[in-house]
Amino acid sequence: MKKLTASIVKFPGSNCENETLEAVKYFNFDAYFISHKETVIDSDLVILPGGFSFGDYVSCGRIAKFSPVISSLKELIKRRKIFILGICNGFQILTEANILPGAILENIGGKFICDDVELTFLNKNFSLPIAHHQGRYYIDNFEDLKNYEIIKYKNNPNGSMANIAGLYDKKRYIMGLMPHPERNVITPFKSKDGKNIFEFIRNIIEKDFYGII
Amino acid sequence: MELYKKLKIDDIVYQNIVKKLKRKPNDFETHLFSAMHSEHCGYLHSKKYLNDFYTNNNFQNENAGCVQIKDHCIFFKIESHNHPCAIEPYQGSMTGIGGIIRDVLSLGAKPICLLNSLKFGRIKESKTKYYLSEVVRGISDYGNSTGIPVISGETIFNEQFENIPIVNVLAAGIVKADKIKFSSAKENSYIIILGSKTGVDGLGGATFASDVLSENSKRSSVQIGDPYLKKLLIEATLKINSLNSILACQDLGASGILSSTSELCYKGKCGAKLYLQNVHVQNENITPLEIMLSETQERMAFIVEKTGLEEFKKIADEFELEFSIIGETTEENHYSVFYKDKLLADIPLEALCEPYLYTLKSLNKKYEKNIKTYNIKDDFFEMINDENFCSKKYIYSQFDQEVQGRTAFSQKENSIGILYLKEISSFIAFCIETNIDVSAFDAAIHSFLNLYRKLVSFGFEPLGLTNCLNFSSPDDINVQSDFLETIEALKKLSKDFLIPVVSGNVSFYNETNNYKIPPCATFSMLGAIDDKNKVIKPNIYHNDKIFLLGDCNCVFPDFSYEINLKNIIFDLYEKKLIHSVKTINKYGIIGTLLKNSLFYGIGFEISYKKDLYFKKNLPCYLLLSNHGDLTEELKKYNIPFQYLGKYLGDKIKFDDLVFDLDEINQIYQNKICFEMEK
């Protein structure tokens, strides 16, 4: 079987890159880090990991969106099939860069929240941890999301519009989510619920990119 | 008035300086002595007494001590940041974490977790709300963005801390045993400072932390943290410390450049020549003295072989961090400070680094046994309405407990943090505890034993201890005596149990003009285990039978009793006769069972001796089992045990009393949030 490849972008201030690398390796990706200054991207999957890119100064993802890697991704989406996954800070960067619609605002209550949350995605229920200060999803026009699959919170922790925890653009293969699937993959005594995200992504790439069924 | 008096150097300390120098120090030098011979840097009142614990290795003079597990070392230490938090709780708690992270980092260890021990006044007080929200926000902002999980902690609310919050933070790091970077310099090398530009923030922090707090305590004495810069500094330092040309490393904490460079050279039995005009500074108006004493955060000092400069520069550039070569190490044991060709100080390092040490007095205090009358119904309501009992979710949910992906069990209601470290294919666990409402001696014993039992209850072998001793002014003989009692207890316990005291921190002068904190010794213990099957899980299930194991009448159990209990528990678990073990918390048997009920949503029904329901610090364990006949099995061990009842239903039942779990849960979950939002 073809070994799929995943590159994980390290921004200054990223802090979830190591466990993200371990997690995608577990799902049989050939995974490696690339710099935020990288312009040549040749992997099937690109992950923008969690953390505080550039200290999240001004606002989360506001500075990271100007990184060369982001402009390269914008170009690449138009040219070839590539799966982009933004986790937490990565999701914030994707919305800041207008690669995904909407905006991510400070949590209702104004505090950082670290907790396990119940989620629903494509009729499946599972639980993943969240850890963010700015995770409240907002969009002006809900119509803009009609081509998106939505990852929903069962009990809204942060005031997100329509309980949105994450988005998946079926046509362009772009996913952004606030919960951390990489934390529930290989850590002993944790659930394996991260597979609901990573296995889904692997299946899509195999099927849509390489015709493997 | 002579300068040394203005700088609050005691006569006896000053005379000792003059004797060693064989002259009077000049003004610049007097300022240096005032910082280095402050309580905060010099441990004048405590150093004599900190050398006689059971220890395991030669890291006593390092920034943190360690326990070796397989081919790696786990370094850990607690530090207090009480004084800054009393003035500026947000910046104070941020930089407290920043400081303790650097201590671990300077040894070449990658920071893997944080714990905290926080003490505030009662929750209804507005001051408490301010301190609590700001301290927690500081830890949250700093710990979360540096990417180090806060895996456990304790918070105590008590009126004695209303004006002086106690903020102690533990950091732990891992490094391969042959990659440890020591803090002793070698001669003829560069002294380099990496990181932030030196500025005037945190000026005089060490002397400020060595005095009682007053109206005049300065905000400018509090340092300012930058977690983003710290994240880069951590990554750069780990990379730099892997270079062979780096001879030594030290963080810049209290008394900044002065204390880090002098200690590096003193430990390395060499000297230093510093050229202060070379230091990269925020503002050219900064004076030489300010450069020496500034406590600007996010800086590290390195001793670098002259041939290693290029590779050092490469890494600094990669992380876009500034650095400056501020001097050289020399063969003579002298500390010489120059500014634009002018020699400002020239001091033998021994005089600078070995202050006068005080001798403390012990009072042989007598304590009256406080026999508490009890009314179990009142005790129960008092407990569930006490913010100390209530859920601390308000606090711990603001901390990222799982970043780095190593956290197997985190704070939640477990009061233990467990990490899986793939570097050593092992689990490690940390817990932290302070006892305040008994004598200093008893408090130390209870904390030590409770931590030991907590680790055992999760299947862990206890391996090492660190401490943070918070007291009021040591000029008070009562405080001296309390301090000595704590030391005595810890000495005895560490030797009996062969658990090394790997590191420690002493914080005196936790008082204002009107308030003093009670003796407040915080201990934290590390345990390890290399087999996943030996980790005892915390889960409880419907119909679990509850047994009490141990001798309730045993007041101060000896180590053979404790080790025997530990072996029995490990044996029972291995034979699958029990599936979970609980230690008795500060609210006795009922408090312990109830906390678990609330967390797992299962009621309980027990009956036992009335006087023991709420008795704290019982030298016992609660065993949970669904085995058919545990009684017969327990008899074989020849140790007291008692069947108490079962976990079942949605009610709490004991001694004819019945409570609804849901109703208690409302108070339990919401008390602190409700008070904070008032």
Side-chain angles (χ1 to χ4, degrees):
Chain A
M1 202 176 81
K2 184 179 160 51
K3 187 103 170 171
L4 304 181
T5 52
S7 49
I8 293 145
V9 183
K10 272 177 95 158
F11 295 91
S14 291
N15 65 23
C16 301
E17 67 274 19
N18 294 318
E19 55 269 40
T20 305
L21 185 87
E22 295 294 321
V24 286
K25 275 186 178 169
Y26 179 83
F27 289 101
N28 221 2
F29 280 87
D30 207 348
Y32 49 89
F33 293 124
I34 60 171
S35 151
H36 69 291
K37 292 179 182 163
E38 186 59 68
T39 52
V40 182
I41 300 162
D42 48 17
S43 56
D44 301 304
L45 168 64
V46 176
I47 305 180
L48 312 183
F52 291 73
S53 55
F54 296 94
D56 278 346
Y57 290 132
V58 192
S59 182
C60 302
R62 188 71 52 90
I63 302 173
K65 73 174 169 187
F66 297 113
S67 301
V69 79
I70 299 296
S71 341
S72 306
L73 283 176
K74 283 182 173 172
E75 280 304 304
L76 219 49
I77 300 165
K78 297 179 201 156
R79 290 212 317 268
R80 72 163 170 98
K81 283 180 177 169
I82 181 165
F83 200 113
I84 301 172
L85 170 66
I87 302 169
C88 198
N89 193 228
F91 186 22
Q92 293 163 342
I93 297 169
L94 289 176
T95 55
E96 275 290 332
N98 286 324
I99 295 175
L100 284 174
I104 299 172
L105 313 174
E106 191 181 66
N107 298 342
I108 288 248
K111 290 192 174 61
F112 189 94
I113 307 171
C114 176
D115 204 357
D116 289 329
V117 293
E118 302 285 321
L119 299 165
T120 312
F121 178 47
L122 299 170
N123 296 320
K124 270 193 183 164
N125 297 319
F126 52 95
S127 163
L128 288 175
I130 53 165
H132 59 247
H133 191 265
Q134 197 170 328
R136 177 161 57 101
Y137 186 79
Y138 174 83
I139 191 160
D140 281 332
N141 187 355
F142 214 70
E143 277 292 293
D144 295 349
L145 295 181
K146 65 174 185 285
N147 287 322
Y148 289 79
E149 293 290 347
I150 292 175
I151 304 168
K152 282 195 173 182
Y153 297 114
K154 229 171 168 181
N155 303 305
N156 196 335
N158 54 19
S160 271
M161 194 179 255
N163 299 326
I164 293 174
L167 299 175
Y168 172 53
D169 179 337
K170 290 174 281 191
K171 289 195 176 142
R172 296 184 302 156
Y173 306 107
I174 304 168
M175 181 189 276
L177 76 168
M178 289 314 295
H180 287 271
E182 78 280 10
R183 293 185 183 181
N184 284 19
V185 175
I186 48 172
T187 314
F189 299 106
K190 290 278 170 205
S191 81
K192 305 290 173 215
D193 281 0
K195 70 170 190 266
N196 291 294
I197 302 298
F198 293 117
E199 274 183 357
F200 169 81
I201 293 173
R202 198 187 58 197
N203 291 340
I204 293 274
I205 296 176
E206 283 176 347
K207 190 160 74 69
D208 288 12
F209 293 19
Y210 296 104
I212 305 165
I213 300 169
Chain B
M1 186 155 76
E2 280 195 70
L3 179 63
Y4 81 87
K5 286 191 174 162
K6 277 190 205 156
L7 295 174
K8 297 192 174 168
I9 303 177
D10 278 358
D11 287 339
I12 192 158
V13 176
Y14 186 73
Q15 283 153 19
N16 183 58
I17 293 167
V18 175
K19 199 172 121 198
K20 283 189 175 173
L21 275 183
K22 301 189 183 85
R23 62 176 168 87
K24 280 188 179 176
N26 66 31
D27 284 0
F28 187 86
E29 291 169 333
T30 306
H31 278 279
L32 303 192
F33 278 111
S34 134
M36 288 299 284
H37 294 197
S38 66
E39 191 62 41
H40 193 72
C41 284
Y43 278 53
L44 277 61
H45 282 89
S46 58
K47 204 173 181 181
K48 259 190 194 171
Y49 304 95
L50 301 174
N51 294 322
D52 204 20
F53 300 123
Y54 173 70
T55 55
N56 56 341
N57 50 41
N58 300 320
F59 300 135
Q60 301 316 309
N61 291 322
E62 292 299 329
N63 293 303
C66 77
V67 165
Q68 183 161 355
I69 304 171
K70 298 183 183 170
D71 59 348
H72 279 70
C73 287
I74 310 293
F75 279 92
F76 59 109
K77 188 185 176 187
I78 315 180
E79 200 162 84
S80 62
H81 233 222
N82 309 335
H83 280 71
C85 288
I87 308 286
E88 278 280 3
Y90 177 69
Q91 291 297 344
S93 62
M94 281 231 271
T95 53
I97 296 185
I100 192 66
I101 292 172
R102 283 195 308 270
D103 277 342
V104 168
L105 186 63
S106 62
L107 288 142
K110 179 180 166 52
I112 51 173
C113 68
L114 298 167
L115 283 87
N116 54 63
S117 171
L118 312 175
K119 285 122 199 150
F120 303 103
R122 299 307 296 220
I123 191 89
K124 62 179 192 310
E125 305 295 339
S126 58
K127 233 180 205 170
T128 300
K129 289 171 194 175
Y130 166 66
Y131 280 135
L132 175 64
S133 66
E134 288 298 283
V135 165
V136 169
R137 189 167 70 88
I139 297 174
S140 170
D141 280 359
Y142 206 92
N144 297 347
S145 43
T146 45
I148 306 169
V150 178
I151 59 169
S152 189
E154 66 164 356
T155 308
I156 293 174
F157 298 98
N158 185 295
E159 54 281 358
Q160 298 177 87
F161 301 111
E162 194 180 320
N163 292 290
I164 310 161
I166 298 297
V167 177
N168 293 175
V169 190
L170 176 147
I174 185 169
V175 58
K176 218 158 171 246
D178 57 4
K179 296 281 179 207
I180 298 169
K181 209 46 93 173
F182 294 103
S183 62
S184 49
K186 291 200 180 83
E187 63 281 352
N188 300 322
S189 310
Y190 287 132
I191 303 171
I192 296 182
I193 302 292
L194 174 75
S196 291
K197 289 185 170 85
T198 297
V200 292
D201 53 315
L203 209 56
T207 39
F208 147 72
S210 306
D211 198 357
V212 299
L213 288 156
S214 70
E215 297 293 314
N216 304 325
S217 294
K218 289 183 195 142
R219 273 170 197 266
S220 64
S221 299
V222 179
Q223 312 82 0
I224 296 163
D226 180 343
Y228 171 61
L229 195 54
K230 178 54 119 307
K231 178 76 169 57
L232 301 183
L233 190 64
I234 291 172
E235 289 178 36
T237 301
L238 288 172
K239 208 161 174 181
I240 288 169
N241 272 339
S242 69
L243 300 173
N244 289 329
S245 58
I246 305 303
L247 302 172
C249 173
Q250 170 93 341
D251 75 301
L252 270 71
S255 298
I257 290 178
L258 167 65
S259 99
S260 62
T261 56
S262 62
E263 279 170 17
L264 277 164
C265 294
Y266 184 58
K267 281 184 212 164
K269 298 192 172 64
C270 56
K273 282 193 171 130
L274 298 188
Y275 306 97
L276 297 182
Q277 70 276 11
N278 294 349
V279 177
H280 58 296
V281 292
Q282 288 172 17
N283 182 331
E284 290 301 329
N285 296 332
I286 192 168
T287 69
L289 188 61
E290 287 168 340
I291 294 175
M292 288 300 284
L293 300 180
S294 158
E295 295 183 11
T296 296
Q297 295 290 290
E298 332 308 357
R299 298 178 300 164
M300 298 292 285
F302 296 89
I303 305 295
V304 185
E305 273 179 9
K306 290 187 175 169
T307 52
L309 189 60
E310 271 311 303
E311 46 185 4
F312 184 97
K313 184 175 180 320
K314 223 176 127 190
I315 298 174
D317 290 349
E318 179 190 337
F319 290 93
E320 297 177 8
L321 290 171
E322 277 189 81
F323 72 93
S324 49
I325 303 168
I326 67 158
E328 289 178 18
T329 54
T330 61
E331 282 170 24
E332 309 92 61
N333 301 327
H334 258 258
Y335 191 74
S336 315
V337 182
F338 297 87
Y339 185 73
K340 297 180 178 165
D341 294 335
K342 196 176 166 208
L343 179 63
L344 300 177
D346 190 25
I347 311 170
L349 272 164
E350 201 268 340
L352 191 60
C353 296
E354 295 287 357
Y356 174 83
L357 299 181
Y358 290 90
T359 302
L360 306 185
K361 276 203 181 108
S362 179
L363 289 177
N364 277 323
K365 285 197 213 174
K366 292 273 182 292
Y367 297 93
E368 297 209 356
K369 270 271 172 268
N370 191 354
I371 297 165
K372 209 181 145 203
T373 54
Y374 60 87
N375 172 325
I376 52 176
K377 197 170 177 181
D378 291 352
D379 288 350
F380 186 80
F381 282 114
E382 193 185 307
M383 171 178 79
I384 61 171
N385 285 298
D386 181 353
E387 63 262 30
N388 285 298
F389 178 78
C390 289
S391 171
K392 311 277 168 61
K393 190 169 180 178
Y394 171 88
I395 298 165
Y396 67 70
S397 69
Q398 295 190 49
F399 306 145
D400 193 335
Q401 298 152 46
E402 295 174 339
V403 60
Q404 295 192 11
R406 303 168 187 269
T407 312
F409 291 99
S410 61
Q411 192 159 6
K412 308 254 169 14
E413 306 304 309
N414 290 322
S415 48
I416 193 169
I418 300 178
L419 299 176
Y420 177 72
L421 302 180
K422 93 175 174 241
E423 294 90 333
I424 46 173
S425 314
S426 297
F427 293 87
I428 62 162
F430 277 107
C431 37
I432 193 162
E433 181 162 324
T434 317
N435 279 281
I436 49 166
D437 40 11
V438 285
S439 73
F441 187 85
D442 289 3
I445 296 219
H446 287 318
S447 297
F448 185 99
L449 293 175
N450 288 342
L451 290 168
Y452 184 90
R453 291 181 201 129
K454 177 63 80 180
L455 289 172
V456 167
S457 74
F458 278 79
F460 282 77
E461 190 66 52
L463 293 177
L465 179 133
T466 186
N467 60 79
C468 188
L469 310 178
N470 309 276
F471 288 85
S472 47
S473 166
D475 304 336
D476 178 345
I477 295 179
N478 272 298
V479 174
Q480 295 184 5
S481 186
D482 287 339
F483 178 77
L484 293 177
E485 278 185 31
T486 306
I487 297 289
E488 269 321 299
L490 193 50
K491 234 186 250 179
K492 178 174 161 32
L493 289 161
S494 68
K495 285 176 180 168
D496 282 356
F497 283 79
L498 298 178
I499 291 186
V501 177
V502 305
S503 54
N505 176 261
V506 183
S507 166
F508 280 124
Y509 298 102
N510 291 291
E511 63 180 75
T512 64
N513 297 334
N514 306 316
Y515 294 91
K516 284 176 182 231
I517 64 155
C520 200
T522 300
F523 296 169
S524 178
M525 212 181 271
L526 163 75
I529 209 172
D530 65 357
D531 181 352
K532 188 184 172 199
N533 296 318
K534 289 184 177 168
V535 177
I536 302 176
K537 289 174 278 298
N539 308 53
I540 63 169
Y541 303 97
H542 279 281
N543 289 316
D544 274 351
K545 280 177 275 190
I546 304 161
F547 287 82
L548 185 71
L549 180 75
D551 182 359
C552 297
N553 300 320
C554 191
V555 183
F556 277 133
D558 64 3
F559 66 98
S560 60
Y561 166 88
E562 291 290 338
I563 287 165
N564 187 27
L565 276 183
K566 178 186 81 177
N567 292 335
I568 293 170
I569 284 168
F570 289 0
D571 195 42
L572 288 166
Y573 190 72
E574 205 180 322
K575 290 180 180 158
K576 298 192 164 54
L577 296 169
I578 55 173
H579 65 80
S580 188
V581 181
K582 306 291 173 192
T583 56
I584 315 284
N585 66 21
K586 292 177 181 173
Y587 296 87
I589 294 170
I590 298 291
T592 304
L593 292 174
L594 181 58
K595 260 207 180 258
N596 285 284
S597 281
L598 292 161
F599 193 66
Y600 292 98
I602 308 172
F604 66 80
E605 190 174 338
I606 65 161
S607 69
Y608 193 46
K609 296 173 191 161
K610 279 186 188 190
D611 58 327
L612 293 182
Y613 277 141
F614 291 97
K615 194 165 169 124
K616 60 169 91 173
N617 301 319
L618 279 181
C620 302
Y621 293 87
L622 294 167
L623 308 180
L624 301 185
S625 169
N626 46 25
H627 186 264
D629 196 3
L630 188 60
T631 308
E632 281 309 306
E633 294 291 334
L634 287 173
K635 279 180 187 164
K636 294 177 189 165
Y637 292 100
N638 199 22
I639 191 152
F641 71 91
Q642 176 71 39
Y643 173 73
L644 299 182
K646 274 188 169 183
Y647 267 114
L648 77 179
D650 55 6
K651 300 265 189 292
I652 304 300
K653 298 184 187 173
F654 62 101
D655 200 66
D656 301 332
L657 298 172
V658 182
F659 303 96
D660 193 74
L661 191 56
D662 264 353
E663 281 172 25
I664 300 168
N665 202 32
Q666 290 301 323
I667 308 172
Y668 180 77
Q669 298 295 349
N670 301 325
K671 168 107 183 172
I672 292 180
C673 290
F674 178 72
E675 287 288 348
M676 290 303 288
E677 279 155 21
K678 246 194 216 170

